[in-house]
Amino acid sequence: MSGLSGSQQDVDIDLGALFRAIWRRRTRVLLATVAVAGLAFAGANLMAPRYESEARLLIESREPEFSAAAPAPQPQSATAFDESGIASEVQVLRSIDLIKQVARSMKLYELKEFDPTADPSAISDLLVMLGVKQNPLDLPPEERVLKIFQEKLQVYQVEKSRVIAIQFSSEDRQLAAAIPNEMAKIYLSLQSGAKLDSNSEATRWLEPEIANLREKVRMAEEKVATYRSQSDLLGAGDQSNFATRQMTDLSTELARVRGERANAEARAENVRSALTSGRGAETLNDVVGSQMIQRLKESESQIQSQIADLSVTLLDGHPRLKGLKSQLVGIRGQIRAETEKILASLQNEAKVGELREQQLTRQLNTLKANSARAGEDEVGLRALEREAAAQRQLLETYLARYREATSRTGASAAPADARIISKAVEPTEAAFPKVLPITLVAALATFLISSVIILLSELFSGRALRPVGAAAPAAVVATPVDRQRRRDHGEAIAPAASAAVHAPAPIAAPAPIAPARPQEVEVEEGFAVEDVAETLLAARVSVAVCVEPSSEAGSDNTVLLARLLAEGGHRVVLIDLTGAGRPTRLMATSGDLPGITDLLAGDVAFSDTIHGDRHSEAHLLPQGTADAAHAMRAVDRLPIVVEALSNAYDLVLIDCGNASSAAVTRIARDGETDIILSAPEVEPDSLVAAIESFAEAGYRNIHVMTGSTGGDTRGTRRKPRAA
């Protein structure tokens, strides 16, 4: 590459040089982009428009609402449409027979768009004469339109649904909507016709079969009744005979009696063992439950209590104690006698249970013999009943099918397994060509290709490469004295730095002369609007507060700054917080537009307060029509508004007019906010005082804007950059 061929030093790509190269050739890029966009626009308008329309069918199993009988149960595969079933219906809609019916119904062969023989070419006629190609006129009219029709037709299943879309494109917008609707209509009629034919055939076949089945059912039921009477098999319900049901009841009763006998024997044995072993029987349930035992136990307890009380004062030989002890022995004898009676009662209960068990056992054995004989006879009865039930079920099924088929055939209204859920409508816009997208894509492609060509040429020529480690010259602040000195020496002027406090010539010390930099703006006097714009862009400032210490003329420069940035393609919004409202008069289309005061007062929505500049792409939040005193009560909401705007715009300019640093602090509490002193006509002492005031308030980025190199408040005009 030029300039670097003899050096082995590492190089890096200078992105700034690449973008400057594109900017230098912007005229050629824009001309090429506009030219290609114009050609694309003209070509798209010359193309014949093609319109598309679509109808949609829902595939579902449908039954007539007037059917007299409930439909017979169908297997799952007969009523549900799976993916393969829907795909089959798609192929039916694309079938040649259906297309021929549509072409015949709508007479498409008479249209030049569908008939290839309407405008044959000379080559086609020559091939037909030589016998190389078949003469299209030899084909029927419906078949000549098949190829073109299929090219314009698109039938597909909507994803994850049972909906089929029929899409058709045509040069005639009415025809594009009529053909899908006609295809759906013919498809539904074909399905209904197939169902009616099937119902008629089913009716003719079912009539003799039903008559034959009725006779078979009658004979089978007659055989069942005869066999039941001859075998003496009386039904007892639950598909069992009388003998079996009686045997079941006796078995249940026998089990219950055996359980009661066993329980009585166990209770008697428990009482007997208690009496034999000499342990107290009063703890047993059967003994404790006796009322006699309970009364004797109470008497025993009372006598024992009296004996215990008298034993304290009387001797054992005292007659009274002897009498009480004699009574106690008698009561205990009565308790034992009563316990033996309870034992005898339990033994009698067990004996009765045993006798009842023997009696039930004999009855059960007799029923077992009878049930065995009935079981042998019942085998034949079950066979006859199964045969009769099968014949009866088949007859009922045939009758239900016959009634359903007869109702559908008689009414001639067998519904198709599909219905139209969306008819095709006449399109209002052409599907192709899309003039605006084609033009935009062509313009964007041309712009990108031109930019890529410029970037590649800069890279291959070496102009966009620089040695690694080479630092770019630092920008410094230049006063008017320094600028004049550099003009005398023929040097370029460096733009103002963004992180310093800028002051005009009378109060600023001379700055060192900066190295010459290509393509920098030359400002004639003071700190121009253009310099401030470049400073804000270089520092990527998002919010800046403009203050006019002198007069309303400072607002003119603020408006010019907003328009200048908007001209460069940046999104800028200006908020008018001045008392006189000069920015609103310069930018707004009307003086009574809702603005910042209306927003702070809560009278309008946020979006209703943003308006466009009448001479540029900048936006404006005008002063508004609400009462300023009422709006300033909600001034604390202003930082929230500014933050919201900074998220949507590259730069938010707040014109505060002749406001003090204390007033600005209420709006921009952050000391990092940039302050622009727009002072085209101000005394140096006043300007120094304003700078010191904002510096004491904590603001470090203060810019001075004294004038413009060219332009007015209705637009922006830049001087050519110096080479």
Side-chain angles (χ1 to χ4, degrees):
M1 300 179 185
S2 84
L4 295 173
S5 58
S7 175
Q8 299 299 325
Q9 184 178 1
D10 293 336
V11 294
D12 196 0
I13 297 176
D14 188 354
L15 297 178
L18 292 176
F19 287 110
R20 286 193 296 272
I22 296 176
W23 181 252
R24 287 196 304 271
R25 297 172 177 84
R26 62 185 180 277
T27 303
R28 282 180 285 178
V29 173
L30 291 177
L31 288 176
T33 301
V34 172
V36 174
L39 293 175
F41 180 80
N45 283 309
L46 292 176
M47 293 181 183
R50 186 174 71 246
Y51 300 93
E52 289 184 356
S53 189
E54 180 182 270
R56 295 199 171 192
L57 296 172
L58 174 62
I59 307 299
E60 60 181 356
S61 180
R62 303 176 67 198
E63 297 296 337
E65 297 180 358
F66 52 81
S67 179
Q74 298 285 341
Q76 184 68 17
S77 59
T79 58
F81 290 90
D82 54 5
E83 292 293 330
S84 59
I86 304 299
S88 301
E89 298 301 322
V90 170
Q91 296 304 318
V92 171
L93 283 165
R94 295 184 60 89
S95 64
I96 294 178
D97 292 340
L98 192 145
I99 294 176
K100 287 182 179 179
Q101 290 192 36
V102 174
R104 190 182 306 111
S105 174
M106 302 186 68
K107 297 182 180 181
L108 298 180
Y109 46 82
E110 297 179 357
L111 301 178
K112 183 178 179 181
E113 180 182 355
F114 293 92
D115 192 356
T117 62
D119 190 13
S121 62
I123 298 177
S124 178
D125 293 340
L126 180 61
L127 294 177
V128 171
M129 292 176 60
L130 295 177
V132 178
K133 181 181 178 181
Q134 184 182 3
N135 189 357
L137 296 176
D138 296 338
L139 299 175
E142 296 85 356
E143 295 185 4
R144 293 201 298 264
V145 304
L146 287 178
K147 182 178 180 181
I148 298 178
F149 193 100
Q150 289 176 340
E151 291 176 355
K152 296 175 177 292
L153 175 65
Q154 186 177 5
V155 182
Y156 61 92
Q157 175 188 359
V158 179
E159 186 179 1
K160 297 181 180 179
S161 69
R162 291 187 284 113
V163 176
I164 297 178
I166 307 172
Q167 189 179 81
F168 195 83
S169 61
S170 174
E171 297 175 0
D172 186 353
R173 65 179 70 197
Q174 296 180 352
L175 200 61
I179 289 180
N181 292 332
E182 185 68 19
M183 288 188 65
K185 178 181 176 182
I186 293 177
Y187 169 75
L188 295 179
S189 64
L190 289 176
Q191 276 203 338
S192 298
K195 280 196 168 187
L196 288 175
D197 294 341
S198 176
N199 292 332
S200 300
E201 293 177 1
T203 303
R204 290 193 298 270
W205 181 82
L206 285 172
E207 287 177 352
E209 291 294 327
I210 289 174
N212 188 22
L213 277 175
R214 282 174 177 169
E215 182 63 23
K216 289 182 179 180
V217 169
R218 187 191 65 78
M219 294 177 62
E221 291 179 347
E222 185 179 352
K223 289 180 181 179
V224 170
T226 302
Y227 187 87
R228 186 186 297 274
S229 62
Q230 291 176 354
S231 302
D232 196 18
L233 295 175
L234 301 178
D238 299 334
Q239 298 181 353
S240 62
N241 54 38
F242 183 75
T244 304
R245 181 64 177 270
Q246 190 176 15
M247 185 175 63
T248 302
D249 295 341
L250 283 176
S251 298
T252 304
E253 181 67 16
L254 179 59
R256 185 184 66 79
V257 170
R258 284 176 177 174
E260 291 178 354
R261 181 181 64 82
N263 186 26
E265 290 178 351
R267 290 158 57 193
E269 181 63 26
N270 192 16
V271 175
R272 186 185 299 109
S273 63
L275 292 175
T276 303
S277 62
R279 40 186 193 88
E282 60 274 6
T283 58
L284 301 178
N285 292 333
D286 294 314
V287 177
V288 173
S290 174
Q291 294 182 357
M292 188 63 182
I293 295 294
Q294 292 177 359
R295 287 195 295 271
L296 292 174
K297 292 297 290 183
E298 290 177 359
S299 298
E300 181 185 11
S301 176
Q302 292 176 359
I303 293 173
Q304 287 180 346
S305 177
Q306 292 177 5
I307 292 173
D309 292 340
L310 294 175
S311 297
V312 177
T313 58
L314 300 177
L315 298 176
D316 292 339
H318 194 277
R320 191 173 181 182
L321 286 177
K322 288 182 178 181
L324 291 174
K325 290 180 180 180
S326 175
Q327 291 179 10
L328 182 61
V329 172
I331 289 175
R332 288 178 177 174
Q334 291 178 4
I335 291 175
R336 182 175 181 83
E338 188 64 27
T339 303
E340 290 177 352
K341 290 179 181 180
I342 293 173
L343 174 61
S345 175
L346 293 175
Q347 289 176 348
N348 291 333
E349 184 179 349
K351 186 63 176 178
V352 172
E354 182 179 0
L355 294 175
R356 179 62 177 162
E357 179 183 355
Q358 292 174 359
Q359 183 182 6
L360 290 175
T361 302
R362 287 193 299 271
Q363 292 180 0
L364 184 61
N365 292 334
T366 302
L367 286 176
K368 284 182 179 179
N370 295 336
S371 179
R373 290 192 302 270
E376 295 175 358
D377 296 335
E378 199 173 26
V379 172
L381 179 62
R382 292 287 181 264
L384 293 176
E385 288 179 345
R386 284 195 299 271
E387 179 65 21
Q391 296 292 341
R392 189 182 305 107
Q393 183 178 4
L394 184 59
L395 175 61
E396 291 175 356
T397 302
Y398 277 19
L399 286 173
R401 296 285 180 86
Y402 181 78
R403 286 192 295 267
E404 182 181 354
T406 303
S407 63
R408 289 182 176 179
T409 305
S412 299
D417 288 335
R419 61 186 176 93
I420 299 176
I421 60 173
S422 175
K423 287 188 176 182
V425 296
E426 184 176 333
T428 57
E429 296 181 357
F432 182 84
K434 298 290 187 181
V435 178
L436 183 59
I438 291 176
T439 304
L440 292 178
V441 170
L444 180 61
T446 305
F447 177 77
L448 293 177
I449 293 174
S450 302
S451 301
V452 170
I453 292 174
I454 294 173
L455 294 177
L456 292 177
S457 64
E458 291 294 313
L459 288 174
F460 287 123
S461 64
R463 291 189 296 270
L465 300 178
R466 63 183 179 186
V468 176
V476 296
V477 180
T479 63
V481 176
D482 300 324
R483 297 174 186 272
Q484 184 62 39
R485 184 184 301 135
R486 294 178 192 179
R487 292 193 192 97
D488 297 340
H489 290 81
E491 297 176 353
I493 308 301
S498 63
V501 177
H502 305 289
I507 61 173
I513 300 175
R517 292 176 60 187
Q519 300 181 353
E520 292 180 338
V521 179
E522 181 179 355
V523 183
E524 290 185 353
E525 61 183 23
F527 291 96
V529 176
E530 290 84 349
D531 292 325
V532 176
E534 292 185 5
T535 301
L536 296 177
L537 293 177
R540 297 183 179 180
V541 176
S542 60
V543 179
V545 178
C546 299
V547 179
E548 294 86 26
S550 57
S551 62
E552 293 185 5
S555 296
D556 297 354
N557 286 344
T558 303
V559 173
L560 184 59
L561 174 62
R563 290 175 174 174
L564 182 64
L565 292 171
E567 183 190 51
H570 303 284
R571 294 171 298 177
V572 183
V573 61
L574 175 61
I575 303 176
D576 186 1
L577 291 180
T578 62
R582 183 170 179 80
T584 300
R585 294 196 302 272
L586 294 175
M587 300 179 69
T589 58
S590 175
D592 57 351
L593 295 177
I596 187 64
T597 56
D598 301 277
L599 180 60
L600 294 178
D603 296 337
V604 295
F606 201 155
S607 58
D608 296 336
T609 61
I610 302 176
H611 308 278
D613 180 20
R614 56 183 174 179
H615 294 303
S616 71
E617 297 298 326
H619 286 173
L620 169 70
L621 260 75
Q623 192 176 34
T625 59
D627 182 28
H630 176 64
M632 290 308 292
R633 295 193 187 102
V635 72
D636 293 337
R637 295 172 51 193
L638 188 59
I640 302 175
V641 175
V642 174
E643 182 179 0
L645 291 173
S646 64
N647 294 329
Y649 290 89
D650 298 332
L651 177 60
V652 179
L653 291 176
I654 307 174
D655 193 347
C656 296
N658 188 11
S660 63
S661 59
V664 172
T665 306
R666 297 184 62 188
I667 301 173
R669 299 183 178 90
D670 188 2
E672 297 294 333
T673 303
D674 288 53
I675 303 297
I676 300 175
L677 298 178
S678 181
E681 300 174 359
V682 65
E683 295 295 331
D685 295 339
S686 300
L687 183 58
V688 171
I691 294 174
E692 291 177 350
S693 175
F694 281 100
E696 291 175 356
Y699 295 99
R700 295 190 294 272
N701 301 326
I702 304 174
H703 310 270
V704 177
M705 186 167 60
T706 59
S708 174
T709 59
D712 53 24
T713 58
R714 294 177 298 171
T716 55
R717 182 171 64 252
R718 302 291 304 274
K719 292 185 66 176
R721 296 180 179 271

